[in-house]
Amino acid sequence: MEDMIRVQGLAKRYDDFALEDVTFSVPAGTVVGLVGSNGAGKTTILKTILGLATPDAGSVRLLGCDPNAHEPGNGVDKVKARVGVVLDTCAFPMVSRVADVGTLGRAAYSLWDESRFEALCDEFDLGQKKAVKDLSRGMGMKLTLAFALSHDPELLILDEATAGLDPMARDEVLDILRRFMEDESHAILFSSHITSDLEKIADEVICIEAGRMIFDMPKDAICDEAGIAHCRAADVERLAGSEFADGFYALHRAMSTDLLVPHRFDFARAFPDIPVDRISIEDYMALMLKGEPIGQSPRLQDTSKGAQR
Amino acid sequence: MRAMIFSDLITSKNSALALLGTTMLIAIFIAIPTGTLYGAIGACAAMVPFMYLFSISAYDEQNGWERYRLTLPISRRQVAYGRYASMLVVCVCSLVLAIVLGLAIGLVCDMLPAETVPEGVRLSNAGVGEVVGTALLTQTVILFVATLVLPFILRYGMTKATRIAPMLLIFVFAGVCVLAGNTPVGAQIESFVAGLGAGEMAALVVGVIAVVLALYLLSSLVAARLYEHREL
């Protein structure tokens, strides 16, 4: 499949923060989720992809084009016309009305579909005369999403697009994104704190922490294959001594220890006395970030594409 | 660039009506106490583009609009050139507004009985040519201010630019005062203009406008270069 976004060895330094050696791609037909704590570097990655910040090292290709090449005639404008973007706030000028946002879309995009915009606004209960300054955060995000979807984009770049939405509205948005992905030539790069949304829609999950990639894995390898084992202290000691423990991460709780296991079915067969459950992306992330590796060569096992830690 | 001009004009249209009303009131309240039409026309011609320049730049920084706008199919150069173009459109509109308003106030005052309004406010005393000239020259001064401050606004954003731009304007004014020597600048201009015939005066106005427009164009080229290197 063709890569719609390709990031290679990306580095970006600020006074108090550095993004180091980030490499990943977003192929057509996939939804890639970016997770990580506040200030981890997710927005910096999105900014470099969108040409809002220039990388210090590495390369970024957006639909085959360098988004940071500002020379006239480099084709970035045409590429941006194929991308829909939702940033973490409703960015339209406060004095504008919903109808003005539609007028702006008509002026900016050759493929702008006014009826689609109006239909989405109706679906989201956004009156055309409503001023942007009077919209709640959730309604503002819906307006931005309607704008991003109304010019027939091939790629969506979403930065916390479901933040501020109530659960019903989040489901509505996820349904819209699923419909968008029915066309296999489409792709989504979706940065979110709400990992349950990624569980519903993502194909790949990339975790960023303190400017570094922690893991880049298929979602199924986390949610379907990996697991969380609930161990007693004696179990941990027993596991730590075995070669089987490669890639295990332990997080000690008051009464027990949570253990990240890359293959929960294999684990359950090998240790039937230790309860092991399906793991959520949130728990997987927490164990990877806060847990300590046990076993002889702590690393992620075969499911990881480019894991680093 | 069309999208950028549209974006600026769409953003400012909602406050345009309020600005128009305020401008008309200010024009009337300046004309009557000062007893001259020229002050009112100058205020009209200056107020609209001046407020536009700073309010549209301030909207850029609200909610990350400037950042989001660059995700649309608009290049950085188009953003810079579009801003200069929209400013020029607003200047032309406010020039027309100032002239129409000046002529309207002058004409209405012409129809009022003697001693009800100051003589200088009547169009028959102020003169149509002078009304147009005042509006044109005021607009030229505003365009010159935009020439100086827009590159700073585009490079540093409105918040930082408001710290730099006034200082720059003070330096320019101080430089002019130094060059003028002991005689006040206003008096020098007055004595220079007094010696000019109507034709020379028209040529001077056209010349000044041409020079400022050339500088405005040059400023847009510099601003586009600066904006390309801005991190958002």
Side-chain angles (χ1 to χ4, degrees):
Chain A
M1 277 179 291
E2 182 199 346
D3 285 340
M4 303 191 87
I5 297 173
R6 189 179 297 158
V7 177
Q8 187 75 42
L10 174 68
K12 178 75 189 168
R13 284 168 203 91
Y14 294 104
D15 291 342
D16 53 351
F17 171 77
L19 194 68
E20 304 276 1
D21 196 24
V22 173
T23 298
F24 68 92
S25 60
V26 180
T30 59
V31 178
V32 175
L34 264 183
V35 292
S37 47
N38 291 326
K42 303 185 297 293
T43 299
T44 304
I45 292 172
L46 297 186
K47 279 165 76 173
T48 55
I49 291 171
L50 290 165
L52 301 173
T54 314
D56 292 329
S59 67
V60 176
R61 307 296 289 179
L62 175 68
L63 296 167
C65 191
D66 178 2
N68 291 291
H70 300 305
E71 297 78 27
N74 63 1
V76 174
D77 306 348
K78 284 180 185 159
V79 159
K80 286 198 284 185
R82 295 160 60 197
V83 181
V85 179
V86 179
L87 299 180
D88 52 358
T89 51
C90 174
F92 301 107
M94 307 274 262
V95 288
S96 301
R97 296 183 184 281
V98 171
D100 297 334
V101 173
T103 311
L104 172 67
R106 222 170 25 240
Y109 294 100
S110 57
L111 291 177
W112 181 257
D113 184 346
E114 190 65 26
S115 57
R116 167 102 169 117
F117 178 71
E118 284 172 7
L120 282 167
C121 287
D122 283 348
E123 193 175 335
F124 291 147
D125 209 16
L126 287 161
Q128 293 288 319
K129 287 186 178 168
K130 206 146 193 176
V132 168
K133 67 175 186 299
D134 296 330
L135 298 176
S136 65
R137 180 178 161 79
M139 295 300 270
M141 296 311 283
K142 286 179 176 180
L143 174 62
T144 315
L145 195 65
F147 184 81
L149 287 164
S150 298
H151 59 92
D152 194 22
E154 294 163 41
L155 171 68
L156 285 179
I157 296 179
L158 313 173
D159 188 6
E160 303 293 349
T162 50
L165 299 183
D166 59 65
M168 298 279 282
R170 276 193 0 238
D171 275 345
E172 265 178 71
V173 169
L174 293 178
D175 278 341
I176 289 171
L177 298 182
R178 275 188 208 101
R179 289 206 299 272
F180 175 78
M181 287 307 296
E182 282 170 9
D183 185 333
E184 288 192 358
S185 65
H186 288 175
I188 301 176
L189 176 60
F190 190 173
S191 146
S192 181
H193 280 108
I194 307 168
T195 50
S196 59
D197 288 347
L198 294 180
E199 275 165 30
K200 289 176 188 165
I201 197 168
D203 300 300
E204 295 275 333
V205 180
I206 298 169
C207 178
I208 306 286
E209 184 62 19
R212 300 179 70 85
M213 274 179 76
I214 304 298
F215 60 82
D216 174 2
M217 298 177 72
K219 182 198 73 183
D220 292 348
I222 299 172
C223 299
D224 293 348
E225 292 177 32
I228 183 166
H230 308 287
C231 307
R232 294 164 302 175
D235 296 331
V236 178
E237 277 174 30
R238 178 161 56 113
L239 287 165
S242 76
E243 200 169 308
F244 194 77
D246 264 8
F248 285 16
Y249 286 87
L251 185 61
H252 302 287
R253 310 271 187 201
M255 305 295 286
S256 66
T257 299
D258 286 342
L259 199 66
L260 165 64
V261 295
H263 299 282
R264 72 172 186 272
F265 300 109
D266 294 348
F267 180 90
R269 272 191 295 276
F271 304 97
D273 56 320
I274 301 175
V276 58
D277 295 325
R278 184 181 182 275
I279 192 166
S280 64
I281 295 175
E282 189 173 334
D283 285 339
Y284 191 96
M285 205 173 97
L287 279 157
M288 287 292 292
L289 297 177
K290 295 181 194 163
E292 57 186 50
I294 66 166
Q296 288 159 356
S297 55
R299 60 178 166 77
L300 283 174
Q301 292 191 331
D302 55 358
T303 47
S304 80
K305 283 184 5 179
Q308 328 165 15
R309 193 167 191 249
Chain B
M1 193 164 88
R2 178 176 153 268
M4 177 61 194
I5 299 170
F6 257 86
S7 157
D8 275 1
L9 297 180
I10 291 165
T11 304
S12 50
K13 85 170 168 48
N14 291 317
S15 51
L17 210 63
L19 188 58
L20 193 70
T22 316
T23 305
M24 286 175 74
L25 277 176
I26 286 177
I28 292 163
F29 280 100
I30 287 181
I32 306 299
T34 58
T36 165
L37 206 50
Y38 307 135
I41 294 161
C44 265
M47 201 174 112
V48 176
F50 199 73
M51 287 187 75
Y52 170 79
L53 172 65
F54 289 103
S55 62
I56 199 74
S57 306
Y59 290 138
D60 278 357
E61 291 190 349
Q62 281 180 358
N63 297 345
W65 168 232
E66 190 167 24
R67 197 162 47 113
Y68 189 75
R69 188 174 54 208
L70 278 180
T71 69
L72 310 183
I74 305 174
S75 70
R76 288 181 180 237
R77 283 182 192 211
Q78 286 169 346
V79 168
Y81 295 146
R83 176 56 49 85
Y84 274 79
S86 73
M87 179 70 195
L88 206 56
V89 168
V90 170
C91 278
V92 171
C93 291
S94 64
L95 173 70
V96 173
L97 172 74
I99 292 171
V100 169
L101 207 58
L103 293 177
I105 294 171
L107 276 173
V108 170
C109 291
D110 261 349
M111 287 185 274
L112 295 174
E115 291 178 11
T116 51
V117 289
E119 287 305 304
V121 185
R122 295 176 190 278
L123 187 63
S124 49
N125 290 333
V128 175
E130 284 81 351
V131 167
V132 174
T134 305
L136 266 172
L137 283 176
T138 311
Q139 211 57 257
T140 310
V141 170
I142 293 299
L143 214 56
F144 182 65
V145 171
T147 300
L148 294 178
V149 301
L150 264 173
F152 289 97
I153 291 175
L154 284 165
R155 178 65 184 88
Y156 297 108
M158 178 69 186
T159 310
K160 268 192 188 172
T162 45
R163 295 179 208 142
I164 303 166
M167 204 167 61
L168 182 78
L169 293 175
I170 288 167
F171 276 128
V172 169
F173 183 71
V176 170
C177 289
V178 168
L179 288 173
N182 290 331
T183 319
V185 181
Q188 287 198 33
I189 293 172
E190 207 175 321
S191 70
F192 175 70
V193 168
L196 297 175
E200 289 167 323
M201 187 64 193
L204 178 71
V205 170
V206 171
V208 168
I209 293 169
V211 168
V212 170
L213 280 174
L215 289 174
Y216 190 69
L217 183 69
L218 196 66
S219 166
S220 74
L221 298 173
V222 173
R225 274 298 179 93
L226 292 172
Y227 194 58
E228 273 179 2
H229 298 289
R230 184 160 167 212
E231 296 261 333
L232 286 157

